[in-house]
Structure formats: C-alpha cells, structure tokens
C-alpha cells in the first residue's frame, strides 16, 4: 500500500484513531499490506477485522499483532497493544480505504485501470491481461478470484506510486455489487465477457444477471472504453447503456478484434487474431479449450486500448500455459493417460465447453472419461441445466461418465434415460469412490476430465488423479 498516516486512514474510513497503549500517533505512517486474513499479516501491515457469517475476525486480532501488524481496523476497541482505527463497518471501511488509495495513485497521472466481469472467464482474462501488461509496466491484479467486496478492494490496496496498470476482477451475487466496485476503481476500460446462468439462482434470473453485469459499463465516461462480446446478444445489448466508446471482440465478422482459423489440440489452441486496421497475427495459445479464445480476444482488445502493440500482446498470451490452478489444468502422463482438472468452478456454459474440449482432444481410438459434480447456485434452473449437460455428454460421444454427489444425480439420470447408453454412466456418492472407480477403469491413452463447482470439492480429486497417473 502507498504510505499513509493513521490520521489519513481514519479520515478515509470515517473512523476514530486509538493508540491502544502504544506510542503511535495520528501522524504515524503505515506502508504495509492490507489483509482480512490474520495468517497473511506481515510486519508493518494492516489487519482488517471483519465479521463473517461463521466467525468474527476480531477474534484473530491478537494473532495479527503477534505477526507484526502495525494497525488494526476494527468495529470495536480491542485490548490488543496495536494502534487501531475504530469504524462502524469493517468491510465498508476496506472499500473506502481502497477508493482513497486508487484516487491518490490516479492523481499521479500514470495509473490506468481495467475492470473485468462476466459469468465465465473473469479470472482467466485477468491473468492474461496481467501477463501482457507486466511486459509494459508495473501491474497489479487480483490473486486467484479475489473479485468481491473484500477481495477486489484488497487488490486495489496493493497499488504503489509506481503502478501503471490495475486489472480489477469484479464479481457479483446481486444487483449493485459490480456498481459498488466500479465506483471504487473507476475503470478506464470495462470488459464484459459473457452473460450465462452462473449464479443465476442468486441473482433471481437471467435478466437480473444481465442487469448486474451491465453495471460494468453504465457509469463509464465518454473518454472510457467498453470492451463487449459481439457473439453474446445479452452483452451486445449493453452497448445501448454506455456513454463509452465500444470495442467489440468475438468470432463474428463485425467484431473489431476477432479470431479465425481456430485449431484445438491437446496442447492448447491456435488461432489468428485480427485487430482494427487489418493487422493480424497467429497465436499459439497453450491454455487448453476453445472457449478460452474468447478470453484471449477480450485481453487483446483491452490491451490495445492501453496502447500495447499487438506483437507484445501476442508474446504475453503465448507465455501463459495455465489459466489458473484447477482450470483446464493438464496433469497425468503415465501410460499416456491425461487428466484435465477443471473443477475450480462450473456453470452450464463452462461445463459444456469443457465437455466439448474433452471430445476434441481425446486420442484417436482411446476413451474420454468425464468425472462430473454439481453445478451450484443455479436455483430454479438447476434441474433442467443438469439434464442438458447429461444429454450433451451423450451427444458428444463421451465414452464414460462418472457422476459424483447427490447434487449432480439428475445429470446421471438424464444420461441413462437417453436410451443410447448402456452402462456408460456411473453414479457415486463421494470423491473417494470416484477415485477408486476411475483408477480401476482407466486404460492407456485415456483422457479424463474432472469438472464441478468449487463447492462440490472435486478439485482435490482432480489433483489426486493427476498425481496417481503422473
């Protein structure tokens, strides 16, 4: 974090400074990292004690003090010998502090900000942009999927006076959440990747999801840029809601940044990218899955708006070999058995894309095995979407399906009801049972996909299978 006095932090958070028995004064300066996890506190850092549904961060303040915290942001004074800023709401204070830090760094005239949202692909696009922009200047981007009201401002607080680019991933589980984050960061470039059924149960339907995602572009200024998916009609409709200049990406001919000659193989995806002005380049993209081409196009479109040359962008994309741990991660190798661990999260769109990739990359004459768990947070759409994925697995000719957990049982039932399968789908209750089944059935040359929502817990199964077949 940039250097701030405790008085400045108190003013930014509308809090009250308390020395708490130390020699600190309001003019004492803090420069350390800000975190809500006491285990991550570093000497000189700031610990924000937030209340959660299951626990209260104030309980961990003594641990933060032991780790060398220079300041605590709390909702009540604590008997801990560390200076404290007492605020009414710790999460709101975190956001307010992030807003002030972004404002101050922006005032230096170097910082440019990209906001990324969408039902799928946020983390991958953020990681691609980070790799591209790091070639040009100091860049800050979220770790993992830090994209909510806690993770996003925590990332913003990593800014320093030297930072040139901030890539802010912005997620939501309801109306107003993205707008709240946009007001903190004020992106120069706002990306909307896709609107699908991910979290539709939380939003209350697909139209509410569209409304929430459109918050990325509704407050952009005429001098800003909205990077929109030309292939998604719901995203395309957002062009009418923004004052910003629109740049389109996609496979459609009318897209400003588009991909052609897409070739999918077991080592990744190759495609030709064409940009405004007619310049084009071939990209040998090591991230597995045709669906990630759209994320790459979004990154290209955004980077171009930040004046990054196309050859630099392509070089950055080609450096990336993994979207994120647990996302289309290729493991295994023994007896030519490949394990694709894609169980970091799942929506109907990403589940369908993963199955299509499995069908595309399996070796000729060998089998494709899909180990699938529940797609969570779909609400009223859950049943029909699990049915749809089951039918897609049959139609893609997946050799063997292993369905794990009660939440995904309907997927198994829909496949056996299709009538064209005879024992190709198996149901088990636990990841341990799935492990035993897959390790006993796998043959040399097989390709195994593991896919589920994070809540289903199959990511560790994917890692375990990868180690077994290493």
């Amino acid at each position: 974090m940039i250097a701030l006095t405790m008085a400045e932090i108190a003013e930014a958070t509308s809090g009250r400074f308390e020395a708490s028995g130390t020699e600190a004064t309001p003019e004492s300066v803090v420069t350390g990292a800000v975190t809500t996890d006491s285990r991550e506190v570093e000497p000189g850092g700031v610990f924000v004690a937030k209340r959660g549904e299951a626990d209260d961060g104030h309980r961990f303040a003594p641990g933060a003090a032991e780790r060398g915290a220079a300041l605590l942001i709390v909702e009540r004074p604590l008997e801990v010998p560390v200076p404290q800023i007492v605020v009414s709401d710790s999460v709101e204070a975190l956001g307010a502090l992030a807003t002030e830090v972004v404002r101050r760094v922006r005032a230096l005239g170097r910082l440019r900000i990209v906001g990324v949202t969408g039902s799928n692909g946020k983390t991958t696009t953020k990681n691609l942009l980070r790799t591209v922009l790091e070639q040009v200047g100091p860049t800050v981007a979220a770790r993992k999927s830090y994209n909510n009201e806690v993770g996003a401002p925590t990332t913003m607080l990593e800014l320093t006076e030297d930072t040139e680019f901030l890539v802010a991933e912005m997620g939501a589980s309801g109306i107003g959440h993205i707008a709240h984050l946009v007001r903190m960061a004020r992106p120069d470039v706002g990306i909307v990747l896709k609107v699908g059924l991910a979290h539709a149960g939380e939003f209350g339907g697909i139209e509410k999801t569209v409304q929430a995602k459109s918050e990325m572009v509704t407050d952009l200024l005429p001098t800003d840029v909205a990077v929109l998916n030309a292939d998604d009609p719901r995203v395309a409709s957002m062009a009418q809601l923004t004052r910003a200049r629109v740049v389109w990406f996609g496979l459609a001919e009318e897209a400003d940044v588009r991909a052609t000659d897409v070739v999918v193989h077991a080592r990744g995806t190759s495609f030709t990218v064409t940009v405004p002005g007619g310049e084009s380049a071939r990209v040998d993209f090591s991230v597995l899955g045709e669906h990630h081409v759209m994320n790459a196009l979004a990154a290209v479109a955004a980077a171009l708006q930040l004046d990054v040359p196309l050859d630099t962008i392509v070089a950055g994309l080609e450096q990336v070999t993994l979207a994120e741990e647990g996302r289309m991660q290729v493991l295994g190798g023994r007896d030519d058995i490949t394990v694709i661990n894609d169980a970091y999260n799942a929506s109907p769109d990403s589940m369908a894309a993963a199955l299509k990739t499995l069908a595309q990359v399996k070796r000729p004459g060998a089998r494709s095995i899909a180990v699938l768990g529940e797609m969570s947070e779909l609400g009223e759409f859950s049943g029909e979407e699990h049915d749809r994925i089951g039918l897609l697995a049959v139609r893609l000719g997946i050799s063997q399906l292993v369905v794990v957990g009660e939440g995904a049982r309907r997927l198994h039932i829909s496949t056996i009801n299709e009538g064209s399968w005879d024992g190709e789908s198996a149901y088990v209750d636990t990841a341990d049972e799935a492990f035993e089944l897959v390790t006993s059935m796998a043959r040399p040359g097989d390709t195994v996909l593991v896919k589920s929502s994070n809540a289903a817990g199959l990511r560790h199964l994917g890692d375990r299978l990868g180690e077994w077949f290493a």
Side-chain angles (χ1 to χ4, degrees):
M1 185 178 72
I2 62 173
L4 294 172
T5 66
M6 295 188 183
E8 289 171 326
I9 294 173
E11 181 179 3
T13 59
S14 301
R16 181 180 76 252
F17 170 77
E18 294 198 4
S20 303
T22 70
E23 296 181 358
T25 71
E27 299 311 311
S28 298
V29 175
V30 180
T31 60
V34 181
T35 181
T36 60
D37 188 337
S38 62
R39 298 167 297 183
E40 296 181 354
V41 171
E42 300 174 355
V46 180
F47 173 62
V48 181
K50 71 178 184 70
R51 290 174 288 110
E53 294 181 3
D55 215 331
D56 186 347
H58 293 77
R59 291 201 311 114
F60 304 102
E66 291 176 2
R67 290 180 175 272
L71 178 66
L72 306 179
I73 296 179
V74 296
E75 295 179 359
R76 60 179 183 273
L78 301 177
E79 293 184 4
V80 178
V82 178
Q84 298 169 32
I85 304 293
V86 183
V87 299
S88 59
D89 186 296
S90 294
V91 174
E92 290 183 5
L94 180 69
L97 181 58
T99 303
E100 176 64 9
V101 167
V102 171
R103 185 190 70 79
R104 289 182 179 227
V105 178
R106 262 198 184 283
L108 299 175
R110 303 178 65 183
L111 180 64
R112 302 180 75 181
I113 298 174
V114 182
V116 184
T117 197
S119 298
N120 306 106
K122 295 184 294 296
T123 300
T124 300
T125 303
K126 174 258 300 179
N127 288 342
L128 295 175
L129 267 173
R130 173 173 53 201
T131 304
V132 168
L133 296 176
E134 281 177 340
Q135 299 178 101
V136 180
T139 301
V140 169
R143 292 172 286 159
K144 299 182 180 178
S145 295
Y146 280 20
N147 61 27
N148 62 9
E149 75 279 7
V150 174
T154 300
T155 299
M156 296 173 201
L157 288 166
E158 294 180 16
L159 293 174
T160 69
E161 289 86 350
D162 296 327
T163 305
E164 294 185 25
F165 302 105
L166 168 65
V167 185
E169 184 179 340
M170 298 181 179
S173 56
I175 302 298
H177 293 181
I178 292 174
H180 180 60
L181 300 178
V182 166
R183 285 192 292 270
M184 288 184 200
R186 295 294 178 189
D188 302 286
V189 179
I191 300 173
V192 186
L193 297 164
K194 187 176 182 64
V195 175
L197 288 175
H199 314 296
E202 288 184 320
F203 283 108
I206 192 65
E207 296 308 318
K208 292 291 187 182
T209 305
V210 174
Q211 182 182 344
K213 300 302 182 185
S214 69
E215 292 169 4
M216 174 60 75
V217 300
T218 50
D219 286 342
L220 292 179
L221 301 175
T223 52
D224 298 330
V225 180
V227 174
L228 302 179
N229 184 345
D231 297 350
D232 185 329
R234 296 187 181 102
V235 175
S237 69
M238 297 178 191
Q240 305 170 23
L241 305 177
T242 186
R243 296 173 293 167
R245 178 168 56 87
V246 175
V247 173
W248 300 100
F249 70 92
L251 304 180
E253 287 190 14
E254 62 269 22
D256 300 301
V257 176
R258 67 189 186 102
T260 55
D261 303 322
V262 179
V263 179
V264 181
H265 47 78
R267 300 177 307 283
T269 311
S270 300
F271 61 94
T272 297
V273 60
T274 302
V275 302
E279 186 179 5
S280 65
R282 191 68 183 169
V283 182
D284 292 319
F285 194 40
S286 296
V287 178
L288 186 63
E290 185 175 3
H291 52 295
H292 285 306
V293 170
M294 294 298 286
N295 302 327
L297 293 176
V300 172
L304 287 171
Q305 302 310 309
L306 300 174
D307 304 317
V308 182
L310 181 60
D311 58 350
T312 302
I313 297 171
V314 171
L317 293 179
E318 293 186 338
Q319 286 180 28
V320 180
T321 59
L322 180 64
E324 181 77 43
E325 186 176 354
R327 296 178 191 263
M328 299 304 286
Q329 185 174 7
V330 179
L331 304 168
R334 174 164 55 86
D335 296 329
D336 287 331
I337 294 173
T338 300
V339 176
I340 303 171
N341 188 6
D342 194 31
Y344 187 92
N345 223 331
S347 67
D349 289 330
S350 68
M351 185 77 84
L355 285 172
K356 290 174 184 176
T357 299
L358 175 63
Q360 287 173 321
V361 304
K362 82 173 187 68
R363 292 178 175 85
R367 298 182 308 164
S368 54
I369 302 174
V371 184
L372 307 181
E374 180 182 10
M375 300 178 291
S376 59
E377 300 177 348
L378 293 178
E380 63 180 297
F381 305 101
S382 180
E384 63 187 76
E385 289 303 320
H386 282 88
D387 287 347
R388 187 171 69 86
I389 292 300
L391 296 180
L392 178 63
V394 174
R395 291 163 186 167
L396 287 172
I398 303 302
S399 309
Q400 178 69 51
L401 201 61
V402 177
V403 179
V404 188
E406 185 62 35
R409 184 188 286 272
R410 187 161 166 174
L411 194 160
H412 167 66
I413 293 172
S414 69
T415 63
I416 59 178
N417 285 344
E418 180 71 358
S420 60
W421 276 17
D422 181 17
E424 287 94 337
S425 183
Y427 172 81
V428 295
D429 287 310
T430 68
D432 285 342
E433 291 176 272
F435 177 81
E436 295 299 330
L437 182 56
V438 173
T439 54
S440 66
M441 72 165 58
R443 304 171 188 164
D446 285 353
T447 302
V448 181
L449 167 72
V450 183
K451 179 72 174 172
S452 74
S453 288
N454 195 35
L458 297 195
R459 183 159 61 96
H460 300 297
L461 171 62
D463 291 338
R464 190 179 174 192
L465 288 169
E467 292 174 2
W468 180 266
F469 290 116

